[in-house]
Amino acid sequence: MTTTQDLSFLSLVLNASLLVQLVMLLLLGMSIASWTIIFKKTAVLRGVRQDTERFERDFWAGGGPLNTLLEAAHRNTRSDAVLEHIFEAGMQEFLKVREIDAARRAMKATYHREMDGLEANLPFLASVGSVSPYIGLFGTVWGIMHSFRGLANVQNATLSAVAPGIAEALIATAIGLFAAIPAVVAYNRAATDVDRLAIRFETFIEEFTNILQRQSAGR
């Protein structure tokens, strides 16, 4: 009479060695954390992109004097109004001291603070994408070693005897890839979006500085 071994995913996870289970748990936690960051970062960047387009449209459409735009920017406290915050910092500083360099420095300082916020958690995604496969591979190697050590005292070692242990170990690699692939894709996408926004912000700082210089020279 032959018995059929239960090779379902849940059974393999539950029957894996303790260290392999800990590796799986670690990878699962990293995957959950990375997906949380992915959803939040996607929403944040979408909001910043939309608000940037709105402010650029209002600014270059000449919808009102700079003081009017400044009042609107001061009322807008949303975190995704990055470009508006940069404009507000530069305009306020210019109105205080009437110096172009001071306004430019204020905009640059705000720019760097805002970029730090946009780039937050991206290094974590990069780390998950780079180390998860190796962590999973470590669990796989350990699981296979554990499986073969268990066969040391068995006289008739067959494929059916070693298959469950190898399958349990390979799940660690699969979970590592499951954690790594979305993190890598999301990091590349987010990093590209952040770089594009940074270019738009820097371009606005240069153009707005030129506007202030012309206004100052015309006085």
Side-chain angles (χ1 to χ4, degrees), residues 43 64 146 211 214:
H146 180 76
I211 292 174
R214 288 195 296 269

Side-chain angles (χ1 to χ4, degrees), residues 166-209:
I166 295 177
E168 295 165 5
L170 290 175
I171 289 179
T173 296
I175 297 177
L177 293 175
F178 177 78
I181 293 174
V184 171
V185 173
Y187 171 80
N188 291 333
R189 176 64 182 275
T192 300
D193 290 344
V194 169
D195 288 341
R196 288 175 178 172
L197 288 169
I199 293 173
R200 295 175 72 170
F201 299 154
E202 290 177 336
T203 301
F204 175 82
I205 291 174
E206 295 299 325
E207 292 175 335
F208 184 50
T209 300

Side-chain angles (χ1 to χ4, degrees), residues 122-144:
L122 289 185
F124 178 81
L125 290 180
S127 298
V128 171
S130 61
V131 306
S132 292
Y134 296 104
I135 295 176
L137 182 61
F138 168 75
T140 296
V141 171
W142 183 270
I144 292 176

